Amino acid sequence: MATEQQVITKSGITLPSRIDGYGEVKPFAGAFATAPQGKKYAPAKGTCPPGTVKVLGNIAEAIEKTGLRDGMTISFHHHLRNGDYVLNLVMDEIARLGIKNLTICASSLTNAHEPLLEHIKSGVVTGLQTSGLRGGIAKAVSRQNILGKPVIFRTHGGRARAIEAGETKIDVAFVAAPVSDPMGNINGCEGKSAFGSMGYPMVDAGYAEKVVVITDNLVPFPLKRISIPMTLIDYVVPVESIGDPEQISAGAIRITKNPQELLIAERAAQVLIAAGAVKNGFSFQAGTGGASLAVCRFIKDYMRENQIKGSFGAGGITATMVELLNEGYFETLLDTQSFDDSSAKSMAVNASHVEMSASMYANPHNKGCTAHMLDIMILSATEIDEEFNINSLTDSNGTIMGALGGAPDTAAGAKLTLVVAPSMRKRIPIVKDHVTHISTPGETVDVLVTERGVCVNPRRTDLIRALTEAGIPLKSMADLRREVEKLTGVPAKPEYTDVIVGVVEYRDGTVLDVIRQIKENQ
Amino acid sequence: MLKKSKRTMLFSPADTPKNLFTAHLYGADCVIFDLEDAVKYAEKDAARDLLAEALRVMDYGDTQIYARINPLYTEFGRADVETLVPAGLRRMRLAMCEKPEQVRELDALLTELETKYGIEPGSCQIQCSLETPLGVTNALAVATASKRVESVSFGAEDFTRSIGAQRTKAGNEIFLARNMVVMAAAIAGVDAVDTVWADINDEAGFREEVRMAMNLGFAGKSCIHPSQIKIVHEVFTPSREEIEKSLAILEAAKDADIEKGGVITVNGKMVDIPVIAKAEKVVRLARGAGIIA
């Protein structure tokens, strides 16, 4: 590995100027410092003469017809989450056909994708690009560098940007569709495996050389509601099931009864109100954690009492946000990923619940994106440090276990980014002097709310003034860290080898941090 | 004497380290770390040691910390007190208290420990938990058995079990006992704290019961879940208007000779001894709640 040359990011992280298996490193220079250059990528033209039959008998036939071969890049999306069958079905067929050395560009990888580990071991898969990684694969990457080259971690906006920029050229995109007609018009809202928004494959389908739809609900042409049109689709493969409905639609996410999460949520709502952010026309992204969703309940009470109506809610949409829409607290929902069946059903019937692509959601190199329209963004964190940098990718032992998601995108865009988190988890402090890895830079994070107090980024003097005037007691991050460490002790820091197993890209394609292989004895 | 409020006494099992770190964060006036019913027999020693360590290292701020100790006649009771007092515990809830002798026994043990460890004499205080017909009947004798008794509490679960009654939300079966406990506390000059409400999902029912407890004369309510704290505080905290009115009454009464039977008027209304007593209670609650200095 070439380590002679080094570069330093704006966050103060020293990186090699070139990483084997990744390439040249452009260091993170600031949330909006790196301007786009060049033109967007375009796939080759296609044609579909009259009489063309797109529906194929099985996945293997589709793989062969796409011309997939060794060394190519394929893509998947994770809207089916832990219930996804499609990635494993496709990869098993690819392995059976003897194709090797593929790179998978997935919107995220979940525990459902654990069988991928065997395909990595056998050399079918040698590259991963994803928003998140968990379970056995993540452990094997962290500890054994099982891929032999770094996993590239991208935000949801960053992935859309990389695909559109041609930095990631997708040879074949596999799209799981709860409904499709024979020409490949698809949506995510109809059928036994409905999952709602198709925000991620909207981008894949637009830029991949070949696109294969895999569906368990083939209906006659033409489909009436179209999320991705047939103009972008090469083949359609009917299968018995694209996913486990129990795992896909785990039901509405309920507001937590955990007293600690409720305490944090109530305090977070007080902060948002005191900051003057909850006002007529405000926009909001709530996230999906227990405390984040509970914030909605407290904000809703305030909105009702003060007759406040918001403009839009965005991002990953949950039943809680659907409830706010239906009760008239918001005008519109912009949905890139529906998190439960309530959201999926809502989008199918409510014109104010609008589907959006990951690019429209969060791609910074567009002529507009929703993340930049947000007033309030709430997110959670595994670690946060005195510079307000956030880690949501690795645990305190340095093992990969999480995802970037859209958090870095929306943190950059929102006027007020608020982190809700307990001050410790299982007696491990979340507040650090320096986070183990940076996933969201501190310059884009404004407030941390924990059960032990509220910390405001010193850059936000306006917020400090507003919250102080409202009588909300504030703490410095250093004081909070010392308070927590008095209870937990100072945890030992993980030890690493020099080998880089993960590259954490910022949304603009610069490198925010790298993840190194954990030393064997830990 | 103005006392810090006992509007809320939050129960928290002492055998879980997380509870020892966090129970005080929910805003209760008092936290009772439980070594008795909530802790399994095999975990009693470990829970006591955990609590002792927490008392040494934790800063609980202005939250009053209690331990519900095991009765002294059990194999754990004395060890609870002997371990926790030198660790910093100054308030203990004596469970299943029935007779003044039990209070005096604890009093003697506390005196011994205060002497041994150089702790200010009398600083260790007792809350007597009245949970049986005998305990309730002896409420006044128990409450006046020691100067260390600073409050009594009523426990409905064991009480209804003892008399063979069904516990209901209306609480008719415990109405008399509640009144007896409140009266005994009033005569002894200590606070009375009402029993727990088990259904944490029935917020409306809980609010009604809290209001009833306050009207009966209780100083506060035992809570089994942090979500109950806010409701109790809302009921037990006087409004700004009540506070201002009460402060005006006390100010006007300061130089008047009301104790000898006189009356004054404030804003056109007659003020006599009962009115002053009510005003004092409002101000005491407001101070205890931290609303006024």
Side-chain angles (χ1 to χ4, degrees), chain A residues 257-260 262-263 266-267 298 424 427 451-452 483 486-488, chain B residues 17-18 21-22 24-26 57-59 200-201 203 225-227 230:
Chain A
K257 285 194 185 260
N258 177 317
Q260 187 166 297
L262 285 171
L263 176 67
E266 187 171 12
R267 200 170 273 172
F298 293 109
M424 63 181 99
R427 280 172 274 162
E451 80 285 10
R452 285 173 201 280
E483 187 182 329
K486 255 179 75 179
L487 304 173
T488 61
Chain B
K18 188 183 172 190
F21 287 168
T22 58
H24 66 297
L25 299 173
Y26 301 113
V57 301
M58 285 292 298
D59 177 4
I200 60 168
N201 293 316
E203 285 189 9
H225 193 272
S227 63
K230 196 176 173 186

Side-chain angles (χ1 to χ4, degrees), chain B residues 169-247:
Chain B
K169 286 188 175 175
N172 293 329
E173 69 284 357
I174 52 175
F175 185 66
L176 175 63
R178 274 180 161 143
N179 283 294
M180 289 174 72
V181 170
V182 168
M183 280 195 292
I187 295 167
V190 300
D191 283 330
V193 178
D194 192 32
T195 188
V196 298
W197 171 267
D199 185 355
I200 60 168
N201 293 316
D202 182 4
E203 285 189 9
F206 180 62
R207 186 180 291 274
E208 198 176 315
E209 168 151 304
V210 174
R211 203 171 282 125
M212 187 262 290
M214 189 187 74
N215 290 340
L216 285 179
F218 282 104
K221 184 100 179 138
S222 297
C223 299
I224 56 164
H225 193 272
S227 63
Q228 297 178 325
I229 293 167
K230 196 176 173 186
I231 294 170
V232 179
H233 285 187
E234 278 171 14
V235 173
F236 271 90
T237 306
S239 66
R240 178 60 62 184
E241 193 186 343
E242 285 176 295
I243 296 167
E244 281 168 10
K245 198 171 129 191
S246 299
L247 286 170

